[in-house]
Amino acid sequence: MAAGLISCRPARHIPESNHLLDRYRIEAPTNDIDREELRRYVRQRPNKRILGFRFHLWLYNMANPAKDGWPHNWLRSIGEEPVIYDPFITDRSSTQLRQYLRNKGFYNAIVEDTISLRRKRAVVTYIIEPREPYYVSALNYQFDDEGLSEIILADTANALISPGIIFDVDILQDERLRIEEYLRNEGYYYFTREHVYFNADTTAGGRAVDLTLGISRYRLRRENGRFESVPHRRYRIGDVYVIPSYDPREAIDRPDEYYSNFDTLMFRDMHYLYRDEMPVRARVLAQSTFLLPGDIYRKENEDRTYRHMFALRQYRLVNIRLTEAGINPGVDNDEGPSFDGGEGPPVDTGNQTEDTLAGLNAWIHLTPFNQQSYTVELEGTNSSGDFGFGGNIAYQHRNFFGGAEIFDFRIKGSIETLSESYSRSFRNTYEYGAEAGLQVPRFMLPLRSVSFVRRYNPRTNLATAYNYQLRPDYTRTIANAAFGYTWRGSEFTTHIVNPVEINLVSLPYAAPEFEEIIRRYNLEASFRDHMVTETNYSFIFNNQDIRRRGDFVFSRFNAEVAGNILAAYSSMADRPRKDGYYRVLGTEFAQYFKTDIDIRYYRHLDDDNSLVFRFFAGAGLPYGNSTALPFEKKYFSGGANSIRAWQVRSLGPGSFHEPADRSFPNRTADIKLEANMEYRFDLFWVLEGALFLDAGNIWAIDDNDRRQGALFRFDSFYNDIAVGTGMGLRFDFSFFIFRLDMGVKLRNPANPEGQRWIPLNRSLNFQDDFAVNIGIGYPF
């Protein structure tokens, strides 16, 4: 043991002879070893840190060790007890690290631990000398079941093991899983990884491993309890039984009576068992069933059936039982076939043909949700960064036309408190509306391909809505109707296409002050009554694994085009223009192209800390029948989900600046660039903390915009980047997250050049340089 030079104040509650575990280090020289994996085998870890500060230990030490009751017990419960260095646990960690290295092929690795003690602090260093690893010199196969030799050897191109790789036990285990998955997808229902074994021969020396991969026979249990080794049997699907209203309690209590009281419908060679009437049309269920009579059993088809049945959103439970012919589906058959000694084993001799394969009957038990539901909801709202409260009365029917169509109807209302700069005559905005939607689990016209439905699980979405908004600066109504499709392209990708979406926007009232502002800057075109007939497309990539914490990427690309068909028709029909614009039903229609991309990277540091990075870029270009983007299609910056040092819609565009008494209350523009970084950490109870850094702005694309400094220029736009930082608190109540962020301006592009970096030019002013944002959910 060597004494170190760590200098820290002694922690409270640590006995004189003990030391606080300050930190540990792992020194490993080779790139063949995953350092993050090594950390998992260190059994004693220091107290949690937030940016180097032991916040939870500090809370614990705030409690008086000689007192109970509040707040001392409370501080101890939310804090973290000091981690006292334990040499026994350190020795166990070294042993675990040594075993891990052996499993990775480093059988001669040396692991030593040293401890540095100084001023009640202990630093443990694990020094790893891996030395040269063992490697696979040859790979041989041994088949106790010769019937599997041909099929396994034909797939060796996909094998994870080959001569020359490091002799890694984890790779061997992965190969066992791969072979299990491969054979179960070739009809060998009862084959498991336990039937794959390895023999390693190191007698040749020189760290070379002569590896043999073996396939054992199936152990068949006789009726008398004895076992016999027999060849593995291949299965095809026999009869398929689908019970769309399965009651598990009744099936368990009275199995014989339960299964005998069904009516049967045959559809596409499958049996649909029901009482009174089929709750969901057989055609819809057949599209989601991939275990088909006569097909070779494949595990991937069983998994696809599960996924597609759950995706119908009709069933709270989906259970698939596979039984050999003649066995009641309520009998557990997972242990495999048994043998009646009077007739001989029901197995082949390794020479099965397609015509002699054994049969598995598939029983698909579907336990439905209640078809209809009514809910009354009270919720927090966070529209564009303004915080408020709302209420909804919602009705849902999960099987509206008998084909698993989901119908939703909602009446809603909300009140939101606007930022201070909005409070002209009152501080609140009111919103009322109704919306209805229908989701159909297939493509409606013009696409009706059954194969596409089975492969990509698409949905057709129909929606309509009406919204009334009463704001301090204007009153607006929006009527909307949309028709589109959603489908999964792969495990991580989703496509959304709306061939038709129509919006009718009307501004029946605008405050005189607001009208004067938009006239001053030539922005009237964005606030006129108008119609938007658009086609839009979205591509979403998300590789998050919700089953465990880990790094993942989320991205969304959007593109939309509006007005082209109406403009072409108006031009070809030689329709007259009014005030220079074509109109439909007396209303001017918008024509533009708009696209944007949102990319996020979530970096998992440990169980209590994470980093999130986000980049957003978007632009919209009006043309033809429009001189400006519609107001609702423009970009804004600032607010709870944007640059949090500015209130919502109060930043930009560009370096545009006005005195506070003439401030434009709705700053929007055609181009947006934004980047965010957020460090998130757990505190205690339901409380989480965050530190963030935001940068970005919006810009105008049209020279007719009279706001000075608003125009985007490639050679100078970077001079208009706003920068803000701050900290926030999140209250995670599981069913929703309440968020409070305080941002502070670091760089304000509205200031004169040379004075934009605020901390370098003057002291911060709470009224001008700070912003408090309240939100629901994470910002991104």
Side-chain angles (χ1 to χ4, degrees), residues 727-739:
M727 63 184 301
L729 296 175
R730 290 92 167 91
F731 296 82
D732 186 353
F733 296 108
S734 296
F735 56 95
F736 83 101
I737 295 174
F738 176 80
R739 176 165 52 93

Side-chain angles (χ1 to χ4, degrees), residues 303-320:
D303 295 338
R304 291 175 70 189
T305 301
Y306 272 111
R307 289 196 301 269
H308 280 244
M309 288 296 183
F310 276 121
L312 291 175
R313 296 171 59 191
Q314 300 291 306
Y315 306 107
R316 59 185 178 88
L317 293 175
V318 176
N319 184 36
I320 300 176

Side-chain angles (χ1 to χ4, degrees), residues 124-419:
V124 178
T125 302
Y126 297 95
I127 303 172
I128 295 175
E129 184 182 346
R131 298 190 174 182
E132 291 298 321
Y134 280 65
Y135 65 94
V136 177
S137 59
L139 176 62
N140 308 296
Y141 288 87
Q142 176 176 316
F143 294 96
D144 302 338
D145 184 348
E146 288 293 339
L148 295 180
S149 60
E150 183 176 350
I151 190 171
I152 289 180
L153 292 176
D155 190 55
T156 53
N158 296 315
L160 304 178
I161 305 172
S162 60
I165 71 167
I166 293 178
F167 181 64
D168 187 332
V169 172
D170 290 333
I171 295 179
L172 270 57
Q173 296 298 332
D174 290 342
E175 177 68 359
R176 296 177 76 201
L177 292 174
R178 189 196 68 82
I179 293 176
E180 175 189 356
E181 181 179 359
Y182 172 61
L183 289 179
R184 296 199 71 190
N185 282 326
E186 292 294 333
Y188 294 90
Y189 176 66
Y190 292 110
F191 189 93
T192 71
R193 72 199 71 174
E194 304 304 323
H195 296 112
V196 182
Y197 63 89
F198 293 96
N199 291 323
D201 183 359
T202 60
T203 55
R207 302 183 312 281
V209 179
D210 190 343
L211 186 65
T212 298
L213 186 156
I215 304 295
S216 65
R217 291 157 65 94
Y218 184 78
R219 296 189 71 219
L220 182 70
R221 179 169 53 86
R222 294 178 176 271
E223 192 176 61
N224 60 12
R226 294 183 179 180
F227 287 88
E228 178 183 352
S229 293
V230 297
H232 290 274
R233 196 170 194 182
R234 198 177 185 204
Y235 290 85
R236 69 164 66 248
I237 300 299
D239 292 325
V240 177
Y241 301 88
V242 181
I243 307 179
S245 296
Y246 180 71
D247 185 339
R249 178 174 297 180
E250 187 177 352
I252 293 173
D253 292 342
R254 298 180 289 112
D256 294 334
E257 180 181 348
Y258 181 76
Y259 285 97
S260 63
N261 289 335
F262 284 114
D263 293 324
T264 302
L265 170 69
M266 290 295 296
F267 183 80
R268 294 181 184 172
D269 298 324
M270 291 183 281
H271 305 258
Y272 292 87
L273 309 183
Y274 66 96
R275 293 174 180 171
D276 299 327
E277 62 178 359
M278 278 287 291
V280 177
R281 282 193 290 272
R283 176 176 56 81
V284 175
L285 297 177
Q287 290 177 169
S288 298
T289 304
F290 295 85
L291 295 170
L292 303 180
D295 283 1
I296 298 297
Y297 167 79
R298 301 186 192 281
K299 179 63 165 60
E300 62 186 10
N301 286 338
E302 183 180 351
D303 295 338
R304 291 175 70 189
T305 301
Y306 272 111
R307 289 196 301 269
H308 280 244
M309 288 296 183
F310 276 121
L312 291 175
R313 296 171 59 191
Q314 300 291 306
Y315 306 107
R316 59 185 178 88
L317 293 175
V318 176
N319 184 36
I320 300 176
R321 305 279 306 176
L322 294 166
T323 66
E324 295 190 62
I327 297 180
N328 188 299
V331 176
D332 191 344
N333 194 43
D334 289 341
E335 293 183 2
S338 60
F339 163 52
D340 183 347
E343 299 181 0
V347 294
D348 67 294
T349 60
N351 296 312
Q352 281 181 293
T353 67
E354 293 293 317
D355 295 328
T356 62
L357 297 185
L360 286 174
N361 291 341
W363 294 81
I364 303 176
H365 298 152
L366 308 173
T367 304
F369 291 109
N370 291 330
Q371 287 198 349
Q372 300 186 63
S373 62
Y374 304 84
T375 58
V376 177
E377 303 171 345
L378 295 176
E379 61 183 10
T381 63
N382 184 30
S383 302
S384 303
D386 293 320
F387 181 74
F389 293 93
N392 301 304
I393 300 175
Y395 165 76
Q396 184 179 78
H397 195 301
R398 289 183 177 270
N399 192 25
F400 198 61
F401 295 115
E405 303 91 352
I406 299 176
F407 173 76
D408 290 286
F409 179 75
R410 183 183 303 269
I411 299 174
K412 61 182 182 179
S414 66
I415 178 173
E416 292 183 345
T417 300
L418 303 179
S419 58

Side-chain angles (χ1 to χ4, degrees), residues 755-773:
Q755 301 178 28
R756 293 179 176 176
W757 285 103
I758 296 174
L760 301 179
N761 290 278
R762 60 174 175 82
S763 58
L764 294 171
N765 181 291
F766 186 82
Q767 182 175 355
D768 297 331
D769 301 323
F770 289 80
V772 176
N773 289 285

